[in-house]
Amino acid sequence: MDDKIFGEEQAHLTATYETLQRIHDNLDEQITTTQAQAAQDLRDLSAEIRPDTHGIEADEILESLAAIETLNAVIDAYNQAHDLTLDKLRRTLLLLNQPYFAKVSLEMRPGRPARDVYIGVAGMMDEERNPIVVDWRSPVAETYYNQQMGPTSYLVNGKERKVNLLLRRQFSLDRAELLGYFDTDVAIQDSLLLDALRRHHSEKLQDITATIQREQNEVVRHADVPCLIVNGIAGSGKTSVLLQRIAYLFYQERDTLSPDQVCLFSPNEVFASYIDQVLPSLGEANPHVLTWRAFAAEQGARDRNDGRGTAPEELRALAEAVPGLRFDERDFGPIVLHDETLLTAAQIKKASEKYEQFPVGSRRMTLTREELHRLLERKMGRMARSDDMQEAMFALDMEEQVQVFGETVDPSNDEEVEQLTRRYVEWRFGDAHDLIDSAGWLRIDAIGERICGHGLNAAEWIWLRDAINGAGGTGTRFVMIDEVQDYTVAQLMVLARHFGRAHFLLLGDEHQAIFADSARFDQMREVFGETCGQVDECRLLTSYRSSPEITELFSGLVLDDEQGKSLSSVREGGVAPRMVACLETPVYLDAVRAAITQAADAEGLTAVVCAERPRVRWLAKQLGEEARVLGPHDPLPATGVVILDLPLAKGLEFDRVIVADASAEVYPDTPLARRQLYTCISRAMHEVTLISQGPLSPLLG
């Protein structure tokens, strides 16, 4: 029997696709036409401008200046129109790949006809400004993610809008072809979600826009608060939710928020590469992604110990010592760029002493920086008048002149020579202003040595510098920290202070704290409560990664029995975990080889996970060519078998996991080993094999 609904939805999809294709073609033509018109307008207006004003009347100079102003206004207007057109074209291209993924029918008012709303990864209106697809981040789309038939609501500008959800339909599409549809009053569970979960691992994390679940949606659309902590079990989609949250914030604040104002801390470089396609697939640019070590390097602490062993009390002692500091000559260094001393240590010391009536801290440093900027400006003025710098300016070839001035130059008098030399000096030495702002003239190590009697690690160095200079990261509005349970209290204190004006999103799993010195979640609340004030918390207790059998195995490692029982999986049943204990080394290696051989013939990606890097190296040496070791800078493959250590596996997922050192020696019955084994097992989607060299871990009993 023909499916009438299928036919109607295919017809709607065909019409929508044709509209999108027409919009795309019109935009493409518009860009070509506009570019040609812009070029002609610029040529016409440029002809009215006289580049040489020597010897002409004042009225003609004014006319030329007016023409320049008109030209600039025309350029700005064309640029703005071009940017808007490109943005619409970008959204159209996204939708031509998949016009939409869902539909809701909403009764906006009792007794009124229902309104059909089609939801996609971007919003689009037709030529008559009627919405044909709404963005998944729009307020009305929340009715889809609420997963609540009947009376429901959504927020518009902070006001609740009550509606009646009559239909929640999901689609499987291939461009203009409808492959299937699912209604929630027919399907027992989320059909798109279950279909997505059947797929094998890919080398890049995929976006979950069409399958965001209700508890995940609460995080994505949570009110913008100073600090939001998300504590979710393994496989609950924390990283995906984090990226959807970033996309949602970009949508909500599209006129004011730029990608360089968002910092995303990832656990390692492999993980950063794994997630780098999600936001672009949603039409958004990636934020600034970095690890703790990369952050320390950016701050100037590249070659220092990362500071994991620093106690919070040590940082507090440093901060408490700052107001009572008295600078001496050893605390200041010169500002030098390109072998040119711009400000001497003596000048900087004298500038600081002008404000010694104030205690060391942000106020005194602000005044000192302002004084140093004034000194630098005067220094640059003197340099612009020097014969050496003027000769250096004259020595610029045509290409270098364009690079410095934006055009070729030919000064005709001493005043023009000095003006151009000043611009050259500012171009060459302008970074000195950044050194002033970042306190690059303070010898933080000398100060720290005097306070605590030892050299400073990265955490201490950044903390002390910020305590003296004032918080850094002032341009950052949002800081997202994934796998936050891997950070120490001291590291989180540093980030909380450095990004003191930002809002934080902290995502992690307290059961995956694989390092002995990691911060507990109650400590996180305390740290960010002190700096941010309000701290909200969400929980994610459903696993979308692992099969029920694997979820049951790792949830059994949770010490809190009640919490362990509350963890669940929505996946279909799979293969029971396999455990092998080998008392002799040759037998153990044969078992690992057999597991790898079997995995190599299967679909997807298999990870052989060892607790530590030395074990990875030993096992790889024993296996020879059968082993493909994944390094910290290697991309994650889509298929095959890789060997890696547990810290590198954090946050990643694999079709199969072989825990190659599941022994009592490596995983004894301790809270730390329990969390490490939980993390190992929970990397697996479909199958997990645990092999021990010696007796199996008692945690598996």
Side-chain angles (χ1 to χ4, degrees):
M1 184 176 67
D2 291 339
D3 186 336
K4 180 181 177 182
I5 294 176
F6 189 98
E8 291 173 348
E9 291 293 1
Q10 178 61 70
H12 178 85
L13 174 60
T14 301
T16 300
Y17 201 85
E18 289 174 353
T19 301
L20 290 170
Q21 189 65 61
R22 187 170 62 250
I23 292 172
H24 171 272
D25 294 343
N26 290 340
L27 290 171
D28 207 25
E29 182 180 351
Q30 180 181 334
I31 288 174
T32 303
T33 303
T34 302
Q35 285 177 337
Q37 184 61 51
Q40 184 60 51
D41 287 349
L42 295 180
R43 282 193 295 269
D44 293 343
L45 288 168
S46 297
E48 301 177 18
I49 298 173
R50 296 190 59 172
D52 185 4
T53 58
H54 291 293
I56 66 173
E57 298 294 331
D59 289 346
E60 294 181 64
I61 293 176
L62 291 175
E63 288 177 7
S64 186
L65 291 174
I68 292 173
E69 188 173 341
T70 301
L71 178 61
N72 288 335
V74 169
I75 291 172
D76 289 342
Y78 272 123
N79 286 339
Q80 185 176 15
H82 183 69
D83 290 344
L84 291 172
T85 303
L86 280 181
D87 178 67
K88 189 172 182 180
L89 182 63
R90 173 186 58 78
R91 288 185 282 119
T92 306
L93 289 170
L94 284 174
L95 293 175
L96 284 171
N97 189 51
Q98 183 189 37
Y100 45 78
F101 55 80
K103 165 187 172 180
V104 290
S105 293
L106 301 172
E107 186 182 60
M108 311 303 287
R109 294 179 183 175
R112 300 288 295 273
R115 173 189 169 196
D116 289 341
V117 178
Y118 287 82
I119 303 168
V121 296
M124 185 61 60
M125 293 184 176
D126 63 17
E127 296 90 339
E128 298 177 356
R129 301 193 64 77
N130 297 312
I132 53 176
V133 182
V134 303
D135 195 296
W136 68 275
R137 297 163 290 187
S138 66
V140 71
E142 189 172 0
T143 59
Y144 169 74
Y145 294 111
N146 283 343
Q147 298 180 344
Q148 178 182 339
M149 298 298 294
T152 186
S153 64
Y154 59 95
L155 293 176
V156 182
N157 296 326
K159 296 182 179 179
E160 185 181 37
R161 182 87 182 266
K162 294 182 179 180
V163 295
N164 192 22
L165 179 59
L166 304 178
L167 175 72
R168 181 179 182 270
R169 180 167 291 164
Q170 303 170 325
F171 299 104
S172 176
L173 309 179
D174 182 9
R175 300 179 74 85
E177 181 184 0
L178 176 63
L179 304 177
Y181 72 90
F182 317 94
D183 291 348
T184 52
D185 58 350
V186 176
I188 297 175
Q189 294 197 35
D190 189 319
S191 300
L192 284 185
L193 173 65
L194 293 176
D195 182 60
L197 295 181
R198 291 188 191 101
R199 300 171 193 160
H200 286 277
H201 156 86
S202 63
E203 68 270 27
K204 297 287 185 181
L205 182 67
Q206 306 298 307
D207 82 85
I208 60 166
T209 308
T211 60
I212 295 172
Q213 299 302 290
R214 185 168 186 171
E215 64 174 7
Q216 296 172 327
N217 185 55
E218 290 174 1
V219 177
V220 173
R221 295 175 185 262
H222 196 284
D224 183 15
V225 294
C227 182
L228 175 61
I229 297 178
V230 179
N231 190 353
I233 70 164
S236 57
K238 295 183 293 297
T239 300
S240 295
V241 166
L242 178 153
L243 295 167
Q244 304 288 150
R245 170 74 170 171
I246 293 175
Y248 180 75
L249 290 172
F250 282 148
Y251 177 84
Q252 291 293 103
E253 305 193 34
R254 51 193 174 276
D255 295 329
T256 59
L257 182 63
S258 61
D260 61 358
Q261 293 175 309
V262 180
C263 278
L264 168 55
F265 281 81
S266 77
N268 52 59
E269 288 80 2
V270 172
F271 185 78
S273 173
Y274 178 53
I275 66 175
D276 64 9
Q277 292 302 312
V278 174
L279 286 169
S281 74
L282 297 173
E284 303 290 356
N286 279 319
H288 183 38
V289 182
L290 68 172
T291 62
W292 166 264
R293 286 190 176 276
F295 164 73
E298 285 185 1
Q299 298 307 307
R302 178 182 300 276
D303 298 322
R304 298 171 186 270
N305 178 282
D306 65 6
R308 283 201 68 91
T310 304
E313 294 75 21
E314 294 177 272
L315 295 187
R316 295 190 183 101
L318 283 171
E320 289 168 3
V322 167
L325 274 177
R326 292 188 64 84
F327 290 134
D328 63 34
E329 62 274 4
R330 294 170 299 173
D331 298 334
F332 302 102
I335 292 180
V336 181
L337 272 181
H338 310 303
D339 297 326
E340 184 81 30
T341 300
L342 301 172
L343 293 176
T344 66
Q347 286 178 298
I348 295 171
K349 180 176 181 293
K350 186 176 179 181
S352 175
E353 287 172 346
K354 286 182 66 174
Y355 307 105
E356 61 184 0
Q357 70 269 32
F358 301 109
V360 173
S362 59
R363 183 179 183 185
R364 178 171 174 179
M365 292 295 289
T366 297
L367 294 169
T368 303
R369 285 195 299 268
E370 290 174 354
E371 178 67 15
L372 294 178
H373 284 302
R374 287 192 289 269
L375 290 173
L376 181 60
E377 286 294 316
R378 289 201 288 270
K379 170 68 173 181
M380 287 184 171
R382 292 193 298 272
M383 293 171 71
R385 294 188 292 273
S386 73
D387 292 340
D388 289 345
M389 282 299 160
Q390 290 183 2
E391 288 178 11
M393 187 274 293
F394 277 118
L396 296 173
D397 60 30
M398 293 181 64
E399 185 177 339
E400 290 168 335
Q401 288 180 27
V402 172
Q403 184 181 3
V404 176
F405 305 113
E407 60 184 353
T408 58
V409 295
D410 184 19
S412 59
N413 54 51
D414 290 345
E415 183 180 352
E416 288 184 9
V417 169
E418 185 176 326
Q419 289 174 351
L420 290 171
T421 306
R422 177 60 186 262
R423 289 171 61 184
Y424 168 67
V425 168
E426 290 174 350
W427 172 81
R428 185 173 174 185
F429 299 103
D431 288 347
H433 286 290
D434 295 333
L435 288 175
I436 290 175
D437 288 334
S438 65
W441 40 274
L442 262 184
R443 289 177 168 158
I444 302 299
D445 281 300
I447 298 169
E449 182 83 34
R450 204 159 66 248
I451 294 174
C452 58
H454 60 74
L456 302 179
N457 59 44
E460 292 169 329
W461 191 90
I462 299 169
W463 173 268
L464 180 57
R465 185 204 58 190
D466 287 352
I468 294 172
N469 196 43
T474 53
T476 302
R477 293 179 53 194
F478 293 95
V479 176
M480 319 295 194
I481 306 178
D482 204 1
E483 303 290 341
V484 69
Q485 77 282 342
D486 289 345
Y487 289 74
T488 66
V489 174
Q491 289 174 326
L492 294 177
M493 288 171 64
V494 169
L495 295 177
R497 164 171 274 182
H498 183 79
F499 298 104
R501 299 181 184 178
H503 283 191
F504 285 83
L505 175 61
L506 315 177
L507 297 98
D509 179 1
E510 58 190 330
H511 309 304
Q512 292 189 65
I514 64 171
F515 303 113
D517 54 0
S518 297
R520 302 187 309 272
F521 273 68
D522 61 317
Q523 292 173 315
M524 296 177 200
R525 287 188 286 270
E526 182 180 347
V527 167
F528 288 93
E530 289 178 1
T531 56
C532 297
Q534 181 180 351
V535 178
D536 288 6
E537 186 168 357
C538 295
R539 296 300 304 271
L540 298 174
L541 298 174
T542 303
S543 173
Y544 304 98
R545 174 192 298 145
S546 303
S547 68
E549 293 82 359
I550 296 171
T551 302
E552 182 181 0
L553 181 60
F554 71 70
S555 63
L557 294 168
V558 175
L559 286 171
D560 185 334
D561 288 340
E562 288 303 314
Q563 190 179 82
K565 291 176 183 176
S566 68
L567 309 186
S568 62
S569 169
V570 299
R571 280 186 174 271
E572 298 168 336
V575 179
R578 180 168 169 261
M579 303 183 193
V580 181
C582 307
L583 300 182
E584 297 179 359
T585 299
V587 177
Y588 163 76
L589 291 173
D590 286 343
V592 174
R593 287 192 184 96
I596 290 176
T597 300
Q598 184 178 1
D601 294 333
E603 254 188 288
L605 181 64
T606 298
V608 181
V609 182
C610 300
E612 296 177 340
R613 199 70 182 173
R615 182 72 179 185
V616 169
R617 289 193 290 265
W618 178 85
L619 187 59
K621 185 177 180 180
Q622 307 307 311
L623 297 175
E625 294 181 358
E626 300 172 61
R628 178 184 177 185
V629 177
L630 191 72
H633 302 288
D634 295 333
L636 195 66
T639 60
V641 181
V642 294
I643 302 177
L644 71 166
D645 58 271
L646 178 55
L648 195 58
K650 289 296 300 290
L652 303 177
E653 62 183 25
F654 307 91
D655 290 288
R656 284 160 299 281
V657 166
I658 300 169
V659 183
D661 51 2
S663 66
E665 180 182 357
V666 177
Y667 295 105
D669 190 357
T670 65
L672 177 60
R674 187 179 291 270
R675 297 194 300 268
Q676 291 171 334
L677 190 56
Y678 168 104
T679 306
C680 253
I681 294 170
S682 63
R683 301 305 92 205
M685 298 165 63
H686 307 296
E687 297 178 32
V688 63
T689 301
L690 301 106
I691 306 174
S692 70
Q693 187 177 12
L696 279 165
S697 167
L699 299 172
L700 298 170

